[in-house]
Amino acid sequence: MRVLVGGVAYPDLCDYSIGIEVQERLSGRDAPANVVVEDLSYNPIAIIQRLQDEQPETRFDRIVVISAVKRGDGPAGTVRAYRWDGGLPADEEIQRMVTDAVTGIIALENTLVIARYFKALPDDVVVVEVEPETHEFGAALSSEVAAAFDDICDLVWSLATDDRASDQLPMGSLVLTAVPAFRFG
Amino acid sequence: MCFKNLPVEFDASGKPFLRNGVGDPYATATATPPEGPRQLTSDKIEDLLKRNGHIKNVDYDPVTRVAGALAFHTVADFENRKIIEARSVATLFRGYEVIMIGRDPRDAIYITSRACGVCGGVHSTCSALAIEMAIGCCPPPLGVLIRNLALALEFLYDHPLHLHLLAGPDYSQVIVEPTNPSLYARATTTEAHHTAIHGYRTIADLMTDLNPLTGKLYLEALHMTRVAREAYVLICGKYPHPQTIVPGGMSSTINLTVMNEMFVRLSQFFDYSKKLALIWDDITTFFYEANPEYKKVGARRANMIDTGIFDHPDAYDATYENCNEWGNRRWATPGAIVDGKLVTTDLKTINIGLEEFVEHSYYEDWTGEGQQQHFATDPSGNPLSPYHPWNKVTRPRPQGQNWKEKYTWDTTPRWDRQAMEGGAYARLWNSAVAQKMPDSPFIESTGHSLKLRMPAGALPETELEWHVPEVWNAFERNRARAYCMAFTTLIAFEQWRGAMERLKDGDTKTSTKFEIPKRGTQQGVGFWGAGRGYLTHHLTLDRGAVSNYQIVTPSSWNASPTDRWGQPGPYEEAVLNTPLLEESNDPAKFRGLDVLRAIRSFDPCMPCTTHIQSEGGLITREVNTCACGLDD
């Protein structure tokens, strides 16, 4: 089983950079031969094309992605891990996401939804969300997220390297926000 | 006479001067633009809304399928099927100019790149040019050629993206069939003129492949953005934020391997460009023939501005003093077009005619009593307005939205006090008319058209010809952008050929060493272009640090609000002229398609947001990379 692990984030945005921070930490670990740790924080379309470039025999069987997601239902540093149910929004919303992607928006939901739509993802997608607090320019994580950082890295690592750990996760959905086209006043 | 409104005249040697006897040359009343399109007053609109049930507010918030955050307010008269009020709203603040204050100028190359998630490279390059001018540093010829090549490749990412991912769906089967069923029925029986090149027998076939997500043209555009991106990173290291653009050239290592890898990708655009141009020819012809009213969609006066782009390595010397000369030798000619006539190609004249106003923008004016104008003239002694970017101070002042007062984060750039638009098409138009392009076996400027001789690929060698259009509207913007693919491909090919010649001669130097002066004040301006058109970065250095930095982008011009004279901005004017041509009379079924076609034809690219603390409080906490656009 080949596993790809990566973070989706912008750099230097405090807690919102957690995906990159974790990915960089894990890049320093000795990974088993079947686990690839890689930057997934770039153009979602390019990521899809990169995944599609894999030969059939080297396609990834599981992808573990980590990102900051503000759900507001827990304190900063709360970690939610789930196997993505693969639910896709309406086509118009996917179009909007493609527009965002090709014009520079890097986001967890864009990356996964577009990749799923274009059949670039394996069935097994594990999402690790971290509830962020600080959304400012800067390298520092908030104290709450910083306190959880080592545990987050260990969790992501176990989900990448231990099949039983990921199998035990619940199914879950992404946070998707629909945007109206226009309104009558 | 070049300037019709500003009191600037030219002496016998062509040097500009302020007309004698004008007391306050840049006062609002001194230089008033002529009669032209004006917005109705908000009071009049409110009265019409109260008295007429068929007149309704229709707000597009956000405008989808554009880069970044744009909202658009209209008042639609459904009985007369027209728009009677149009307001363009940049909903987010960017603030790069504020971020730049006090920094080492080299930071600008990396920071301003983040203004855009598509065309970061043009901002980096524009910064590099402004710094080169300020510090007196000129790149070597190969550096100029490689810089040109890199940025042309960026445009080859940008244009297909707009044509077939953003604007294209407006002409697709899934959108045209429900809004205009009889038009779509006609498309099913209308044969395309250029089947031999693009392969589509009927216009309906073509429309089907423009369908978003599933259409072959949509998917092909996604693929071609990859080809361009791969070629780009061979030079620039990363996309969209290059790592190799420096003052004085490029830090890339260029060798035959890189050039060969590049050609493998560039050559794929020979055929693709032929297809694109002729697809958009066929779309335009079909709509015009089906209903001539489509010529009014997005129509406005042909008022355009462009700084030109792609320097000639033997001409560019990075000085302001000689910018008219090196500007006129660019591969895309600079120019200002007023009512369809090219009035200048001189960069200094373009520069001194530029002003920015903030009457309807969330900023404070920086002129007036007690305020000091930093520069009364440009470095050549030509008069400058207090509203010129070199004199501008960015003072954000967030407040409530009010059509009578302030309603957007965009400023109001004007040239000779007129609403100009920027776009790839302005670069095409100037180059076609001016006949100043470098000699090329592939590109010919005829004075009324551009002939583009596309090399053979799988398709045979093909001569395309873009003609200056008789009308200026949404269709012509898209058509011109499609031809700009061919134009840009050939320019990239010419840079590649030029670079290969240099390499063959053993010339591998791509940059010139430089130092940032630690004393005195220096000025520079980057005259460059985004895929979407006009781009300038005006820079002032004081003791080695940035003391002022001002960016004007194509969307600064295009999305600008109504100005102090009541002249609507280009989006606004184009929408005010747009008839509502959807076939249903039921407002509940109204989709605003023609309004959106008008807006999207400009290829809007709106601002990113960032963290900016003003005196009025925190402006926004959202942070994204993406989307060039508005200047503040």
Side-chain angles (χ1 to χ4, degrees):
Chain A
M1 167 175 276
R2 291 194 81 220
V3 181
L4 175 64
V5 183
V8 179
Y10 289 101
D12 295 322
L13 274 182
C14 298
D15 288 351
Y16 282 78
S17 300
I18 186 74
I20 291 176
E21 297 294 324
V22 171
Q23 174 237 311
E24 288 184 350
R25 168 74 70 87
L26 297 183
S27 295
R29 294 191 182 183
D30 288 332
N34 67 320
V35 175
V36 177
V37 181
E38 198 168 285
D39 175 16
L40 296 178
S41 299
Y42 56 100
N43 183 325
I45 300 295
I47 289 171
I48 290 161
Q49 290 163 340
R50 176 258 178 276
L51 293 173
Q52 289 172 334
D53 278 350
E54 290 287 344
Q55 297 300 310
E57 62 274 16
T58 61
R59 292 245 163 103
F60 292 104
D61 302 293
R62 182 190 307 147
I63 291 185
V64 182
V65 286
I66 174 160
S67 191
V69 176
K70 186 83 174 173
R71 287 189 186 249
D73 57 1
T78 299
V79 178
R80 304 173 205 89
Y82 56 89
R83 293 164 68 201
W84 181 37
D85 60 15
L88 297 178
D91 279 2
E92 282 195 1
E93 188 60 16
I94 297 173
Q95 266 191 70
R96 183 187 68 78
M97 289 179 164
V98 173
T99 299
D100 282 353
V102 295
T103 56
I105 301 291
I106 296 165
L108 176 71
E109 66 272 24
N110 276 16
T111 303
L112 292 183
V113 166
I114 300 168
R116 172 71 83 208
Y117 181 84
F118 286 112
K119 299 181 170 50
L121 287 180
D123 291 338
D124 191 0
V125 175
V126 173
V127 177
V128 179
E129 297 180 358
V130 178
E131 184 74 18
E133 172 66 35
T134 317
H135 193 182
E136 301 285 352
F137 177 78
L141 300 173
S142 67
S143 57
E144 294 88 344
V145 173
F149 185 72
D150 288 343
D151 290 342
I152 295 168
C153 291
D154 289 342
L155 171 65
V156 173
W157 194 248
S158 71
L159 293 170
T161 56
D162 182 352
D163 293 347
R164 288 169 303 175
S166 65
D167 289 346
Q168 289 169 5
L169 291 176
M171 299 296 283
S173 304
L174 297 171
V175 177
L176 301 174
T177 49
V179 177
F182 63 82
R183 64 176 189 268
F184 285 97
Chain B
M1 195 164 66
C2 178
F3 291 110
K4 291 193 171 140
N5 302 308
L6 288 174
V8 176
E9 296 181 358
F10 294 82
D11 66 17
S13 67
K15 184 171 177 59
F17 65 92
L18 283 173
R19 191 181 303 143
N20 290 334
V22 178
D24 187 355
Y26 292 102
T28 303
T30 303
T32 301
E35 284 302 309
R38 298 287 191 275
Q39 294 265 19
L40 294 176
T41 65
S42 293
D43 291 339
K44 174 77 174 167
I45 292 291
E46 284 171 17
D47 184 50
L48 288 168
L49 279 165
K50 277 182 199 158
R51 291 193 292 111
N52 297 282
H54 60 274
I55 295 179
K56 294 181 184 297
N57 286 309
V58 184
D59 291 331
Y60 304 76
D61 185 7
V63 177
T64 55
R65 270 193 279 115
V66 300
L70 172 69
F72 208 87
H73 166 73
T74 64
V75 176
D77 178 341
F78 285 99
E79 190 170 286
N80 294 300
R81 303 181 76 83
K82 65 179 187 179
I83 302 295
I84 59 172
E85 184 180 50
R87 302 282 179 178
S88 173
V89 183
T91 53
L92 297 176
F93 178 61
R94 199 173 68 177
Y96 283 87
E97 290 139 341
V98 184
I99 294 171
M100 282 310 306
I101 300 296
R103 289 182 179 271
D104 185 304
R106 288 166 290 195
D107 290 352
I109 291 173
Y110 300 99
I111 290 175
T112 65
S113 170
R114 268 66 188 176
C116 187
V118 178
C119 59
V122 299
H123 286 286
S124 291
T125 304
C126 207
S127 280
L129 266 68
I131 298 166
E132 284 168 7
M133 187 181 285
I135 67 175
C137 171
C138 181
L142 185 62
V144 172
L145 290 164
I146 294 300
R147 185 154 73 187
N148 290 345
L149 181 53
L151 278 298
L153 292 167
E154 195 173 76
F155 292 4
L156 297 183
Y157 175 97
D158 194 326
H159 295 329
L161 183 161
H162 178 259
L163 285 166
H164 288 175
L165 301 183
L166 306 184
D170 289 340
Y171 306 88
S172 67
Q173 172 263 326
V174 294
I175 290 190
V176 173
E177 190 172 15
T179 54
N180 295 76
S182 65
L183 183 74
Y184 183 73
R186 182 187 174 111
T188 61
T189 58
T190 303
E191 298 208 342
H193 294 296
H194 298 103
T195 305
I197 295 291
H198 55 56
Y200 293 102
R201 190 179 67 79
T202 68
I203 297 297
D205 293 340
L206 209 163
M207 286 177 167
T208 299
D209 272 356
L210 284 170
N211 282 346
L213 298 179
T214 57
K216 285 181 185 166
L217 290 169
Y218 186 95
L219 297 173
E220 185 182 34
L222 278 178
H223 170 71
M224 293 308 286
T225 62
R226 174 187 188 162
V227 177
R229 200 171 57 231
E230 287 178 349
Y232 179 87
V233 299
L234 288 167
I235 305 174
C236 292
K238 279 176 65 183
Y239 174 88
H241 303 307
Q243 301 298 298
T244 58
I245 291 171
V246 292
M250 303 284 291
S251 64
S252 329
T253 299
I254 301 298
N255 55 35
L256 286 177
T257 304
V258 170
M259 296 302 286
N260 287 335
E261 290 275 340
M262 183 90 59
F263 186 77
V264 166
R265 290 161 177 86
L266 175 59
S267 59
Q268 295 179 49
F269 287 92
F270 294 159
D271 282 353
Y272 187 57
S273 299
K274 296 166 197 164
K275 278 178 59 177
L276 247 63
L278 298 176
I279 282 171
W280 285 90
D281 259 353
D282 282 353
I283 291 172
T284 303
T285 302
F286 169 75
F287 276 84
Y288 284 1
E289 288 178 355
N291 183 356
E293 282 291 289
Y294 278 111
K295 292 184 179 179
K296 296 178 184 171
V297 172
R300 70 181 294 271
R301 297 163 298 167
N303 283 2
M304 296 179 210
I305 192 157
D306 196 77
T307 54
I309 186 172
F310 306 127
D311 286 303
H312 195 295
D314 299 334
Y316 177 65
D317 68 1
T319 68
Y320 187 79
E321 196 56 38
N322 296 327
C323 68
N324 286 347
E325 287 73 30
W326 54 255
N328 275 313
R329 290 187 65 189
R330 285 182 149 180
W331 281 92
T333 311
I337 295 164
V338 177
D339 286 329
K341 303 293 180 198
L342 183 65
V343 297
T344 185
T345 63
D346 289 343
L347 282 171
K348 285 183 194 173
T349 306
I350 290 170
N351 186 43
I352 67 171
L354 170 62
E355 298 173 288
E356 275 187 275
F357 303 99
V358 293
E359 272 67 28
H360 290 296
S361 312
Y362 299 129
Y363 303 93
E364 285 180 4
D365 196 350
W366 61 91
T367 64
E369 194 173 337
Q371 304 293 328
Q372 184 185 1
Q373 180 174 337
H374 289 292
F375 301 105
T377 66
D378 71 6
S380 296
N382 303 315
L384 277 187
S385 165
Y387 301 102
H388 186 275
W390 267 326
N391 287 318
K392 185 185 165 198
V393 182
T394 300
R395 291 178 178 161
R397 182 61 64 187
Q399 56 192 272
Q401 189 179 65
N402 183 330
W403 306 128
K404 292 179 187 173
E405 296 173 10
K406 293 181 183 281
Y407 60 85
T408 179
W409 281 107
D410 191 9
T411 60
T412 312
R414 293 290 184 260
W415 187 81
D416 193 23
R417 308 219 150 163
Q418 302 191 76
M420 314 290 274
E421 62 181 277
Y425 34 79
R427 149 180 340 133
L428 204 65
W429 193 313
N430 290 332
S431 302
V433 171
Q435 295 185 283
K436 293 184 176 180
M437 291 193 58
D439 289 337
S440 165
F442 303 106
I443 311 171
E444 182 186 348
S445 163
T446 69
H448 55 80
S449 70
L450 262 186
K451 291 184 176 176
L452 305 163
R453 300 187 182 98
M454 303 305 297
L459 294 169
E461 185 176 308
T462 305
E463 181 174 287
L464 302 170
E465 186 170 8
W466 178 81
H467 298 270
V468 171
E470 293 174 3
V471 290
W472 189 238
N473 58 31
F475 290 88
E476 297 301 342
R477 287 187 193 96
N478 290 333
R479 186 205 318 241
R481 189 172 293 108
Y483 274 83
C484 230
M485 273 297 290
F487 183 47
T488 307
T489 297
L490 293 177
I491 290 173
F493 187 37
E494 286 284 24
Q495 309 314 303
W496 184 88
R497 284 169 14 113
M500 287 294 278
E501 287 298 317
R502 294 271 167 189
L503 289 174
K504 274 197 277 183
D505 292 342
D507 176 5
T508 58
K509 187 180 177 192
T510 56
S511 63
T512 301
K513 193 173 178 183
F514 67 91
E515 287 186 7
I516 303 296
K518 298 297 179 194
R519 296 174 185 277
T521 298
Q522 295 85 27
Q523 277 175 279
V525 52
F527 296 115
W528 197 246
R532 296 158 159 102
Y534 178 107
L535 180 65
T536 50
H537 287 203
H538 284 81
L539 163 73
T540 308
L541 297 181
D542 188 8
R543 289 172 289 174
V546 173
S547 60
N548 196 14
Y549 203 97
Q550 295 294 331
I551 301 171
V552 181
T553 70
S555 296
S556 306
W557 293 92
N558 298 343
S560 66
T562 298
D563 63 24
R564 58 174 59 179
W565 298 280
Q567 298 181 111
Y571 293 171
E572 295 177 340
E573 184 182 342
V575 168
L576 285 168
N577 290 331
T578 295
L580 304 180
L581 299 174
E582 293 175 38
E583 289 177 17
S584 171
N585 280 323
D586 180 0
K589 293 182 179 174
F590 180 65
R591 297 184 66 170
L593 177 58
D594 298 300
V595 168
L596 291 167
R597 280 177 176 148
I599 296 169
R600 289 185 184 126
S601 69
F602 288 87
D603 193 4
C605 189
M606 309 305 290
C608 314
T609 58
T610 189
H611 303 90
I612 286 298
Q613 191 80 29
S614 79
E615 291 170 24
L618 193 64
I619 291 169
T620 174
R621 296 175 68 87
E622 293 298 317
V623 178
N624 291 318
T625 185
C626 101
C628 70
L630 311 180
D631 82 322
D632 291 311

